[in-house]
Amino acid sequence: MASQPRRGGVSLPDRRAPKNTNPDGIITKLINAPIVSRGKQAACDAVYISKKLLRSTGKAAWIAGTTFLILVVPLIIEMDREQQLNELELQQASLLGAPPVNPTLPVPR
Amino acid sequence: MDVDPTKEVTHQTTSSCSTMAGLVPPGATINTDPSNAKSKEDEKVDYFNLPCPIPYEEIHREALMSLKPELFEGLRFDFTKGLNQKFSLSHSVFMGPIEVPSHQTTDALKVPTAHYEFGANYIDPKLMLIGRVLTDGRLSARVKCDLTDNLSLKANAQLTNEDHMSHGMINFDYKGKDYRSQFQFGNGALLGASYIQSVTPRLSLGGEVFWAGQHRKSGIGYAGRYETDKMVATGQVASTGMVALSYVQKLSEKVSLASDFMYNYMSRDVTASVGYDYILRQCRLRGKIDSNGCTAAYLEERLNMGLNFILSAEIDHRKKDYKFGFGLTVG
């Protein structure tokens, strides 16, 4: 039985006649049809590739995210702080009317 | 002549040839614009009054400052107490894993350690003495002493309880008007000499020779450094197969970007890295990423007068090696 549909796959016109007489075999023939098996193969491949793609993009996103967290996030926070300090100083300057002397020196190396 | 006078001046300065002088209209030579006058003045280099170059071993200084912060893993606490103007004591505690190179695998082994370090410093403009003792028995000492205005002596020594790990070195530095030279004497019959000379106000070139008698190795190296107000570019080659190039661009007073490239001909390994260095009012932040996929950041935050908070992070995705450290520096 297993060898028969494979033979049938080679010569399509022969298969057409017993297809009608044997309704039970339609599904099995359909399942074993080359187009179906190729489709199955394609689906399997697609799933495999998409899984791999998803995994690699996930990994890439993880690396990019952690790198961003290390390199850029502290920079943003510190720039924001600096901005706030500058604004505060500007406010104080406008309130007092005199340009303030900068008491804080940069961090020693 | 319908030539723009400013254009003419730059043209004249770029070609110092005297035949060009005939083409210059008389109005161009009498220049009122100060920037043009300055650029013209810069062009006339007094080769007998070149600035003193920086020492040979420090030619990568700016790039190293930005790209190689002292990354650590674990906790560190440093406390420095000044007893008077010149004398100070330092105490520091470190806890965390340190990497020990293992023989079986290429990766380094992490060994958890904790140690306390006691140090004494004497700092005077003419004489600097620094000593450090660790609880695991290591002792290091450094001396820097100006013998005369031009000649200075530097000595380093390290004593450990392991064999062949103790070493000492004495350097004599001579600082000339537009050159520096250095002689090195170390244990294990190590001899070295280096010389660096300013060639133009911005360019300095140097070379070194060394001989390690114990390992029967000798080498020669050359280095060059080009420096302007905005950038520093350096290059170094040595007969050990090492090629190192670095470039630092100062975007502003606070921000500089650095990149470096290292190539070893013998071991065939190449690394390149880029990084930034932000010096803000309350903090200093350095970050870098290199071609091995290793990302690092180092943040020094000023919490208060004399109180600094340090955060260090290093991520190596390829080796799955993650190092995070924090610390406090008091004093």
Side-chain angles (χ1 to χ4, degrees):
Chain A
M1 198 52 189
S3 61
Q4 208 176 0
R6 218 180 284 156
R7 238 195 294 139
V10 181
S11 54
L12 265 168
D14 290 346
R15 265 178 52 202
R16 214 162 261 169
K19 203 168 150 190
N20 296 335
T21 52
N22 192 5
D24 182 55
I26 288 173
I27 296 166
T28 51
K29 288 238 170 81
L30 208 70
I31 285 167
N32 293 318
I35 185 86
V36 172
S37 67
R38 216 179 291 161
K40 234 195 287 183
Q41 188 73 42
C44 278
D45 282 352
V47 166
Y48 176 74
I49 285 169
S50 58
K51 210 187 249 175
K52 220 167 183 186
L53 209 69
L54 212 69
R55 196 162 291 169
S56 60
T57 43
K59 205 172 177 185
W62 164 251
I63 290 172
T66 45
T67 305
F68 180 80
L69 196 69
I70 293 285
L71 284 182
V72 187
V73 171
L75 192 64
I76 293 169
I77 294 168
E78 291 302 339
M79 298 275 265
D80 197 48
R81 269 172 61 98
E82 182 84 358
Q83 193 83 32
Q84 273 177 8
L85 263 167
N86 279 343
E87 269 171 28
L88 202 78
E89 207 164 71
L90 219 71
Q91 250 175 23
Q92 272 181 353
S94 63
L95 275 174
L96 297 168
V101 198
N102 185 11
T104 50
L105 293 161
V107 174
R109 283 147 205 227
Chain B
M1 221 175 226
D2 57 344
V3 186
D4 181 28
T6 54
K7 213 174 184 178
E8 194 66 41
V9 170
T10 49
H11 196 61
Q12 188 201 10
T13 48
T14 45
S15 62
S16 55
C17 193
S18 61
T19 54
M20 288 302 292
L23 292 169
V24 181
T29 45
I30 305 153
N31 208 319
T32 46
D33 193 2
S35 66
N36 273 341
K38 205 183 170 197
S39 73
K40 198 181 168 189
E41 208 174 71
D42 282 355
E43 202 60 36
K44 278 187 185 163
V45 175
D46 185 2
Y47 284 101
F48 294 100
N49 267 322
L50 293 172
C52 189
I54 68 164
Y56 186 86
E57 74 256 32
E58 288 182 26
I59 56 159
H60 297 300
R61 188 166 60 186
E62 284 86 0
L64 286 181
M65 278 287 246
S66 304
L67 294 170
K68 303 268 188 309
E70 287 173 49
L71 296 164
F72 61 96
E73 184 177 12
L75 164 105
R76 71 184 312 160
F77 178 78
D78 297 292
F79 177 68
T80 309
K81 174 104 179 84
L83 295 178
N84 58 39
Q85 284 277 313
K86 290 173 179 172
F87 193 71
S88 61
L89 292 177
S90 75
H91 310 268
S92 67
V93 174
F94 174 80
M95 284 179 185
I98 53 164
E99 286 189 341
V100 178
S102 64
H103 300 289
Q104 287 89 22
T105 56
T106 51
D107 296 339
L109 268 173
K110 279 189 180 180
V111 179
T113 51
H115 59 72
Y116 164 75
E117 187 185 274
F118 174 74
N121 312 316
Y122 176 83
I123 293 166
D124 186 76
K126 286 239 178 262
L127 177 68
M128 195 171 83
L129 302 166
I130 292 172
R132 294 274 181 276
V133 187
L134 272 81
T135 41
D136 60 1
R138 270 183 288 168
L139 185 141
S140 69
R142 275 200 293 164
V143 180
K144 188 172 181 287
C145 171
D146 291 343
L147 299 173
T148 66
D149 279 351
N150 286 336
L151 187 69
S152 70
L153 170 96
K154 266 194 269 180
N156 284 314
Q158 194 170 19
L159 281 173
T160 56
N161 44 13
E162 295 167 62
D163 289 344
H164 310 298
M165 289 299 281
S166 305
H167 54 82
M169 189 176 276
I170 296 175
N171 296 352
F172 287 99
D173 292 20
Y174 186 79
K175 175 175 171 268
K177 216 173 82 181
D178 58 356
Y179 66 92
R180 278 174 196 267
S181 57
Q182 186 185 56
F183 296 97
Q184 260 181 6
F185 307 96
N187 72 324
L190 178 77
L191 288 172
S194 71
Y195 179 84
I196 187 160
Q197 166 86 48
S198 288
V199 181
T200 71
R202 285 170 176 173
L203 182 71
S204 48
L205 297 172
E208 64 167 342
V209 283
F210 66 88
W211 184 67
Q214 203 173 42
H215 304 287
R216 303 218 161 265
K217 268 185 197 162
S218 62
I220 186 164
Y222 301 99
R225 178 185 160 97
Y226 186 79
E227 188 177 359
T228 66
D229 303 337
K230 286 274 164 212
M231 56 79 94
V232 179
T234 60
Q236 190 179 11
V237 282
S239 63
T240 51
M242 188 262 298
V243 178
L245 306 170
S246 74
Y247 179 82
V248 178
Q249 176 84 40
K250 290 171 197 150
L251 293 184
S252 71
E253 226 168 84
K254 291 172 176 175
V255 190
S256 59
L257 296 177
S259 66
D260 82 335
F261 172 82
M262 283 277 267
Y263 173 58
N264 198 319
Y265 183 76
M266 299 298 171
S267 58
R268 303 259 168 197
D269 55 330
V270 188
T271 38
S273 52
V274 281
Y276 61 78
D277 189 349
Y278 264 75
I279 302 171
L280 301 175
R281 221 176 314 168
Q282 291 280 321
C283 75
R284 179 173 192 187
L285 179 62
R286 281 172 271 187
K288 66 137 193 176
I289 182 159
D290 72 11
S291 58
N292 293 330
C294 185
T295 314
Y298 192 79
L299 170 72
E300 289 161 279
E301 176 94 30
R302 234 172 68 116
L303 296 178
N304 216 328
M305 201 52 191
L307 179 66
N308 289 337
F309 181 61
I310 305 165
L311 280 175
S312 154
E314 192 180 3
I315 291 185
D316 192 340
H317 285 290
R318 197 167 296 173
K319 283 189 207 156
K320 291 225 177 351
D321 185 16
Y322 313 114
K323 292 179 198 163
F324 294 93
F326 68 100
L328 266 182
T329 311
V330 185

Short mmCIF file of all heavy atoms in Angstrom, two decimals, chain B residues 149-202:
data_model
loop_
_atom_site.label_atom_id
_atom_site.label_comp_id
_atom_site.label_asym_id
_atom_site.label_seq_id
_atom_site.Cartn_x
_atom_site.Cartn_y
_atom_site.Cartn_z
N ASP B 149 66.27 70.43 37.17
CA ASP B 149 65.09 70.93 36.46
C ASP B 149 64.73 70.04 35.28
O ASP B 149 63.57 69.91 34.92
CB ASP B 149 65.37 72.34 35.94
CG ASP B 149 65.17 73.36 37.03
OD1 ASP B 149 64.66 72.96 38.10
OD2 ASP B 149 65.53 74.53 36.84
N ASN B 150 65.74 69.45 34.67
CA ASN B 150 65.49 68.67 33.47
C ASN B 150 65.52 67.16 33.69
O ASN B 150 64.90 66.42 32.95
CB ASN B 150 66.52 69.00 32.39
CG ASN B 150 66.26 70.35 31.78
OD1 ASN B 150 65.13 70.83 31.81
ND2 ASN B 150 67.29 70.97 31.26
N LEU B 151 66.26 66.74 34.66
CA LEU B 151 66.43 65.30 34.87
C LEU B 151 65.56 64.85 36.03
O LEU B 151 65.57 65.44 37.10
CB LEU B 151 67.90 65.00 35.17
CG LEU B 151 68.28 63.53 35.26
CD1 LEU B 151 68.20 62.86 33.91
CD2 LEU B 151 69.66 63.39 35.84
N SER B 152 64.79 63.80 35.77
CA SER B 152 64.00 63.26 36.87
C SER B 152 64.16 61.75 36.94
O SER B 152 64.47 61.10 35.94
CB SER B 152 62.54 63.66 36.73
OG SER B 152 61.97 63.00 35.65
N LEU B 153 63.96 61.24 38.11
CA LEU B 153 64.14 59.82 38.37
C LEU B 153 62.80 59.23 38.76
O LEU B 153 62.08 59.80 39.57
CB LEU B 153 65.14 59.65 39.51
CG LEU B 153 65.28 58.25 40.09
CD1 LEU B 153 66.43 57.55 39.45
CD2 LEU B 153 65.45 58.30 41.58
N LYS B 154 62.48 58.11 38.15
CA LYS B 154 61.25 57.42 38.51
C LYS B 154 61.61 55.99 38.85
O LYS B 154 62.40 55.38 38.14
CB LYS B 154 60.27 57.40 37.33
CG LYS B 154 59.28 58.53 37.35
CD LYS B 154 58.16 58.28 36.38
CE LYS B 154 58.47 58.86 35.02
NZ LYS B 154 57.42 58.64 34.04
N ALA B 155 61.06 55.47 39.90
CA ALA B 155 61.34 54.08 40.25
C ALA B 155 60.05 53.41 40.66
O ALA B 155 59.19 54.00 41.31
CB ALA B 155 62.35 54.02 41.37
N ASN B 156 59.91 52.17 40.23
CA ASN B 156 58.74 51.35 40.58
C ASN B 156 59.25 50.04 41.13
O ASN B 156 60.20 49.49 40.59
CB ASN B 156 57.94 50.99 39.33
CG ASN B 156 57.13 52.13 38.84
OD1 ASN B 156 56.47 52.80 39.62
ND2 ASN B 156 57.18 52.37 37.55
N ALA B 157 58.62 49.56 42.15
CA ALA B 157 59.01 48.24 42.64
C ALA B 157 57.77 47.52 43.11
O ALA B 157 56.85 48.13 43.64
CB ALA B 157 60.02 48.36 43.76
N GLN B 158 57.76 46.22 42.90
CA GLN B 158 56.65 45.42 43.38
C GLN B 158 57.20 44.14 43.98
O GLN B 158 58.01 43.45 43.35
CB GLN B 158 55.71 45.11 42.23
CG GLN B 158 54.39 44.58 42.73
CD GLN B 158 53.35 44.48 41.63
OE1 GLN B 158 53.68 44.47 40.46
NE2 GLN B 158 52.10 44.39 42.03
N LEU B 159 56.77 43.86 45.18
CA LEU B 159 57.21 42.64 45.85
C LEU B 159 55.99 41.77 46.10
O LEU B 159 54.96 42.25 46.56
CB LEU B 159 57.82 42.98 47.21
CG LEU B 159 59.25 43.50 47.23
CD1 LEU B 159 59.59 43.95 48.64
CD2 LEU B 159 60.20 42.42 46.78
N THR B 160 56.10 40.49 45.74
CA THR B 160 54.99 39.58 46.02
C THR B 160 55.56 38.33 46.67
O THR B 160 56.76 38.08 46.64
CB THR B 160 54.26 39.15 44.73
OG1 THR B 160 55.22 38.59 43.85
CG2 THR B 160 53.58 40.29 44.06
N ASN B 161 54.65 37.53 47.23
CA ASN B 161 55.11 36.29 47.84
C ASN B 161 55.21 35.16 46.82
O ASN B 161 55.65 34.08 47.14
CB ASN B 161 54.21 35.90 49.03
CG ASN B 161 52.76 36.07 48.71
OD1 ASN B 161 52.40 36.23 47.54
ND2 ASN B 161 51.92 36.02 49.72
N GLU B 162 54.79 35.42 45.57
CA GLU B 162 54.96 34.41 44.53
C GLU B 162 56.33 34.58 43.89
O GLU B 162 56.86 35.68 43.84
CB GLU B 162 53.89 34.58 43.45
CG GLU B 162 52.49 34.32 43.93
CD GLU B 162 51.47 34.82 42.91
OE1 GLU B 162 51.47 34.31 41.80
OE2 GLU B 162 50.71 35.72 43.26
N ASP B 163 56.83 33.48 43.36
CA ASP B 163 58.13 33.54 42.71
C ASP B 163 58.02 34.26 41.37
O ASP B 163 57.03 34.16 40.68
CB ASP B 163 58.66 32.11 42.46
CG ASP B 163 59.06 31.46 43.76
OD1 ASP B 163 59.21 32.20 44.76
OD2 ASP B 163 59.19 30.21 43.78
N HIS B 164 59.08 34.92 41.01
CA HIS B 164 59.23 35.57 39.70
C HIS B 164 58.15 36.60 39.41
O HIS B 164 57.88 36.91 38.27
CB HIS B 164 59.23 34.53 38.56
CG HIS B 164 60.17 33.42 38.79
ND1 HIS B 164 61.53 33.62 38.90
CD2 HIS B 164 59.97 32.10 38.98
CE1 HIS B 164 62.10 32.46 39.13
NE2 HIS B 164 61.18 31.52 39.19
N MET B 165 57.47 37.05 40.43
CA MET B 165 56.48 38.08 40.17
C MET B 165 56.92 39.43 40.71
O MET B 165 56.31 40.45 40.42
CB MET B 165 55.14 37.69 40.79
CG MET B 165 54.44 36.55 40.10
SD MET B 165 54.05 36.90 38.40
CE MET B 165 52.59 37.90 38.61
N SER B 166 57.98 39.41 41.50
CA SER B 166 58.50 40.67 42.02
C SER B 166 59.34 41.34 40.94
O SER B 166 60.09 40.68 40.23
CB SER B 166 59.36 40.42 43.24
OG SER B 166 58.63 39.70 44.19
N HIS B 167 59.16 42.59 40.81
CA HIS B 167 60.01 43.28 39.84
C HIS B 167 60.26 44.72 40.26
O HIS B 167 59.52 45.30 41.05
CB HIS B 167 59.46 43.20 38.43
CG HIS B 167 58.06 43.68 38.29
ND1 HIS B 167 57.75 45.00 38.17
CD2 HIS B 167 56.89 43.00 38.27
CE1 HIS B 167 56.44 45.11 38.07
NE2 HIS B 167 55.89 43.92 38.13
N GLY B 168 61.29 45.24 39.69
CA GLY B 168 61.64 46.62 39.97
C GLY B 168 62.12 47.30 38.72
O GLY B 168 62.55 46.66 37.77
N MET B 169 62.02 48.59 38.70
CA MET B 169 62.42 49.32 37.50
C MET B 169 62.81 50.74 37.87
O MET B 169 62.20 51.35 38.75
CB MET B 169 61.26 49.34 36.52
CG MET B 169 61.63 49.88 35.18
SD MET B 169 60.28 49.79 34.06
CE MET B 169 60.42 48.13 33.49
N ILE B 170 63.84 51.22 37.22
CA ILE B 170 64.27 52.60 37.44
C ILE B 170 64.31 53.32 36.10
O ILE B 170 64.84 52.79 35.12
CB ILE B 170 65.66 52.64 38.11
CG1 ILE B 170 65.59 52.01 39.51
CG2 ILE B 170 66.18 54.06 38.21
CD1 ILE B 170 66.91 51.90 40.19
N ASN B 171 63.72 54.47 36.05
CA ASN B 171 63.73 55.26 34.81
C ASN B 171 64.42 56.59 35.08
O ASN B 171 64.18 57.23 36.10
CB ASN B 171 62.31 55.60 34.36
CG ASN B 171 61.50 54.41 33.99
OD1 ASN B 171 62.01 53.31 33.92
ND2 ASN B 171 60.24 54.61 33.76
N PHE B 172 65.23 57.01 34.12
CA PHE B 172 65.77 58.36 34.15
C PHE B 172 65.16 59.11 32.98
O PHE B 172 65.30 58.69 31.83
CB PHE B 172 67.29 58.34 34.01
CG PHE B 172 67.99 57.85 35.24
CD1 PHE B 172 68.43 56.55 35.33
CD2 PHE B 172 68.20 58.71 36.30
CE1 PHE B 172 69.05 56.09 36.46
CE2 PHE B 172 68.82 58.26 37.44
CZ PHE B 172 69.25 56.94 37.53
N ASP B 173 64.50 60.19 33.27
CA ASP B 173 63.87 60.98 32.21
C ASP B 173 64.63 62.28 32.06
O ASP B 173 64.85 62.99 33.04
CB ASP B 173 62.42 61.33 32.58
CG ASP B 173 61.53 60.13 32.59
OD1 ASP B 173 62.08 59.01 32.70
OD2 ASP B 173 60.30 60.29 32.53
N TYR B 174 64.99 62.57 30.85
CA TYR B 174 65.61 63.85 30.59
C TYR B 174 64.70 64.65 29.67
O TYR B 174 64.29 64.18 28.61
CB TYR B 174 66.99 63.70 29.94
CG TYR B 174 67.70 65.01 29.80
CD1 TYR B 174 68.33 65.57 30.90
CD2 TYR B 174 67.68 65.71 28.61
CE1 TYR B 174 68.94 66.80 30.81
CE2 TYR B 174 68.28 66.95 28.51
CZ TYR B 174 68.91 67.49 29.61
OH TYR B 174 69.49 68.72 29.51
N LYS B 175 64.38 65.85 30.11
CA LYS B 175 63.46 66.69 29.36
C LYS B 175 64.25 67.82 28.75
O LYS B 175 64.81 68.66 29.46
CB LYS B 175 62.40 67.22 30.32
CG LYS B 175 61.44 68.20 29.75
CD LYS B 175 60.38 68.52 30.81
CE LYS B 175 59.49 69.66 30.39
NZ LYS B 175 59.95 70.96 30.82
N GLY B 176 64.35 67.81 27.43
CA GLY B 176 65.06 68.89 26.76
C GLY B 176 64.09 69.98 26.34
O GLY B 176 62.93 69.99 26.76
N LYS B 177 64.56 70.89 25.52
CA LYS B 177 63.70 71.99 25.12
C LYS B 177 62.60 71.51 24.17
O LYS B 177 61.44 71.89 24.32
CB LYS B 177 64.53 73.09 24.44
CG LYS B 177 64.02 74.47 24.77
CD LYS B 177 64.94 75.53 24.22
CE LYS B 177 64.64 75.76 22.77
NZ LYS B 177 65.48 76.76 22.14
N ASP B 178 62.95 70.71 23.20
CA ASP B 178 61.93 70.19 22.29
C ASP B 178 62.05 68.67 22.13
O ASP B 178 61.68 68.12 21.10
CB ASP B 178 62.00 70.89 20.94
CG ASP B 178 63.36 70.76 20.30
OD1 ASP B 178 64.25 70.18 20.94
OD2 ASP B 178 63.53 71.23 19.16
N TYR B 179 62.60 68.02 23.12
CA TYR B 179 62.67 66.56 23.06
C TYR B 179 62.66 65.99 24.47
O TYR B 179 62.86 66.71 25.44
CB TYR B 179 63.94 66.11 22.32
CG TYR B 179 65.23 66.45 23.04
CD1 TYR B 179 65.82 65.54 23.92
CD2 TYR B 179 65.82 67.68 22.83
CE1 TYR B 179 66.98 65.87 24.58
CE2 TYR B 179 66.99 68.01 23.50
CZ TYR B 179 67.56 67.10 24.37
OH TYR B 179 68.71 67.44 25.04
N ARG B 180 62.39 64.70 24.55
CA ARG B 180 62.49 64.00 25.83
C ARG B 180 63.18 62.68 25.58
O ARG B 180 62.98 62.05 24.54
CB ARG B 180 61.10 63.68 26.39
CG ARG B 180 60.43 64.79 27.11
CD ARG B 180 59.03 64.36 27.45
NE ARG B 180 58.21 65.48 27.82
CZ ARG B 180 58.03 65.90 29.08
NH1 ARG B 180 58.62 65.26 30.06
NH2 ARG B 180 57.24 66.90 29.35
N SER B 181 63.98 62.29 26.52
CA SER B 181 64.57 60.96 26.38
C SER B 181 64.48 60.24 27.72
O SER B 181 64.35 60.87 28.76
CB SER B 181 66.02 61.06 25.92
OG SER B 181 66.75 61.84 26.81
N GLN B 182 64.52 58.94 27.64
CA GLN B 182 64.32 58.15 28.86
C GLN B 182 65.21 56.91 28.79
O GLN B 182 65.37 56.30 27.73
CB GLN B 182 62.86 57.72 28.93
CG GLN B 182 62.52 57.01 30.23
CD GLN B 182 61.11 56.48 30.24
OE1 GLN B 182 60.72 55.74 29.35
NE2 GLN B 182 60.36 56.86 31.24
N PHE B 183 65.79 56.59 29.92
CA PHE B 183 66.56 55.35 30.04
C PHE B 183 65.91 54.51 31.10
O PHE B 183 65.54 55.01 32.15
CB PHE B 183 68.02 55.65 30.41
CG PHE B 183 68.73 56.41 29.34
CD1 PHE B 183 68.85 57.78 29.41
CD2 PHE B 183 69.23 55.73 28.25
CE1 PHE B 183 69.48 58.49 28.40
CE2 PHE B 183 69.86 56.43 27.23
CZ PHE B 183 69.98 57.81 27.32
N GLN B 184 65.79 53.22 30.80
CA GLN B 184 65.10 52.31 31.71
C GLN B 184 66.03 51.20 32.14
O GLN B 184 66.74 50.64 31.31
CB GLN B 184 63.95 51.65 30.96
CG GLN B 184 62.62 52.25 31.21
CD GLN B 184 61.54 51.53 30.45
OE1 GLN B 184 61.79 50.52 29.81
NE2 GLN B 184 60.35 52.06 30.53
N PHE B 185 66.02 50.91 33.41
CA PHE B 185 66.77 49.75 33.91
C PHE B 185 65.81 48.95 34.76
O PHE B 185 65.20 49.50 35.66
CB PHE B 185 67.96 50.20 34.77
CG PHE B 185 68.85 51.19 34.08
CD1 PHE B 185 68.70 52.55 34.30
CD2 PHE B 185 69.82 50.75 33.20
CE1 PHE B 185 69.50 53.47 33.65
CE2 PHE B 185 70.62 51.66 32.55
CZ PHE B 185 70.47 53.02 32.78
N GLY B 186 65.68 47.69 34.43
CA GLY B 186 64.78 46.87 35.23
C GLY B 186 65.45 45.58 35.64
O GLY B 186 66.52 45.23 35.11
N ASN B 187 64.82 44.86 36.55
CA ASN B 187 65.38 43.57 36.91
C ASN B 187 65.15 42.58 35.78
O ASN B 187 64.37 42.83 34.88
CB ASN B 187 64.80 43.07 38.25
CG ASN B 187 63.37 42.64 38.11
OD1 ASN B 187 62.61 43.23 37.36
ND2 ASN B 187 63.00 41.60 38.82
N GLY B 188 65.86 41.48 35.79
CA GLY B 188 65.84 40.56 34.66
C GLY B 188 66.63 41.13 33.50
O GLY B 188 66.31 40.87 32.34
N ALA B 189 67.61 41.96 33.80
CA ALA B 189 68.48 42.57 32.80
C ALA B 189 67.68 43.28 31.72
O ALA B 189 67.90 43.10 30.53
CB ALA B 189 69.43 41.55 32.18
N LEU B 190 66.72 44.03 32.14
CA LEU B 190 65.92 44.80 31.19
C LEU B 190 66.54 46.18 31.01
O LEU B 190 66.78 46.89 31.98
CB LEU B 190 64.48 44.93 31.70
CG LEU B 190 63.55 45.75 30.81
CD1 LEU B 190 63.11 44.95 29.61
CD2 LEU B 190 62.35 46.21 31.59
N LEU B 191 66.80 46.50 29.78
CA LEU B 191 67.36 47.80 29.45
C LEU B 191 66.52 48.42 28.36
O LEU B 191 66.08 47.74 27.44
CB LEU B 191 68.79 47.65 28.93
CG LEU B 191 69.88 47.28 29.92
CD1 LEU B 191 71.17 47.01 29.17
CD2 LEU B 191 70.10 48.41 30.90
N GLY B 192 66.30 49.69 28.47
CA GLY B 192 65.50 50.33 27.44
C GLY B 192 65.84 51.81 27.33
O GLY B 192 66.33 52.42 28.28
N ALA B 193 65.60 52.33 26.16
CA ALA B 193 65.81 53.76 25.96
C ALA B 193 64.77 54.24 24.98
O ALA B 193 64.38 53.52 24.07
CB ALA B 193 67.21 54.02 25.43
N SER B 194 64.30 55.45 25.18
CA SER B 194 63.37 56.01 24.22
C SER B 194 63.66 57.49 24.04
O SER B 194 64.24 58.15 24.92
CB SER B 194 61.93 55.81 24.68
OG SER B 194 61.63 56.62 25.77
N TYR B 195 63.27 57.98 22.90
CA TYR B 195 63.55 59.36 22.56
C TYR B 195 62.39 59.88 21.73
O TYR B 195 61.88 59.19 20.86
CB TYR B 195 64.84 59.42 21.74
CG TYR B 195 65.22 60.80 21.29
CD1 TYR B 195 65.92 61.65 22.14
CD2 TYR B 195 64.89 61.27 20.03
CE1 TYR B 195 66.25 62.92 21.74
CE2 TYR B 195 65.22 62.55 19.62
CZ TYR B 195 65.91 63.37 20.49
OH TYR B 195 66.24 64.63 20.10
N ILE B 196 61.93 61.06 22.05
CA ILE B 196 60.86 61.66 21.26
C ILE B 196 61.19 63.12 21.00
O ILE B 196 61.69 63.81 21.89
CB ILE B 196 59.47 61.44 21.92
CG1 ILE B 196 58.35 61.91 21.00
CG2 ILE B 196 59.36 62.09 23.27
CD1 ILE B 196 57.00 61.33 21.31
N GLN B 197 60.95 63.52 19.78
CA GLN B 197 61.37 64.84 19.35
C GLN B 197 60.20 65.54 18.66
O GLN B 197 59.50 64.93 17.86
CB GLN B 197 62.54 64.69 18.37
CG GLN B 197 62.90 65.91 17.55
CD GLN B 197 63.85 66.82 18.27
OE1 GLN B 197 64.85 66.36 18.81
NE2 GLN B 197 63.53 68.10 18.31
N SER B 198 60.01 66.81 18.95
CA SER B 198 59.02 67.59 18.21
C SER B 198 59.60 67.95 16.85
O SER B 198 60.70 68.50 16.77
CB SER B 198 58.69 68.87 18.95
OG SER B 198 57.94 68.60 20.08
N VAL B 199 58.86 67.61 15.82
CA VAL B 199 59.34 67.90 14.47
C VAL B 199 58.73 69.20 13.97
O VAL B 199 59.40 70.05 13.40
CB VAL B 199 59.00 66.73 13.53
CG1 VAL B 199 59.50 67.00 12.13
CG2 VAL B 199 59.60 65.45 14.05
N THR B 200 57.44 69.36 14.18
CA THR B 200 56.78 70.64 13.93
C THR B 200 56.03 70.95 15.23
O THR B 200 56.00 70.11 16.13
CB THR B 200 55.80 70.54 12.75
OG1 THR B 200 54.69 69.76 13.14
CG2 THR B 200 56.43 69.93 11.51
N PRO B 201 55.41 72.12 15.35
CA PRO B 201 54.68 72.39 16.60
C PRO B 201 53.62 71.35 16.90
O PRO B 201 53.21 71.20 18.06
CB PRO B 201 54.05 73.75 16.35
CG PRO B 201 54.92 74.39 15.37
CD PRO B 201 55.47 73.32 14.50
N ARG B 202 53.14 70.64 15.89
CA ARG B 202 52.06 69.69 16.13
C ARG B 202 52.50 68.24 16.04
O ARG B 202 51.86 67.38 16.62
CB ARG B 202 50.94 69.93 15.13
CG ARG B 202 50.17 71.17 15.49
CD ARG B 202 49.25 71.56 14.41
NE ARG B 202 48.46 72.70 14.85
CZ ARG B 202 47.65 73.36 14.07
NH1 ARG B 202 47.51 73.00 12.81
NH2 ARG B 202 46.96 74.37 14.52
#
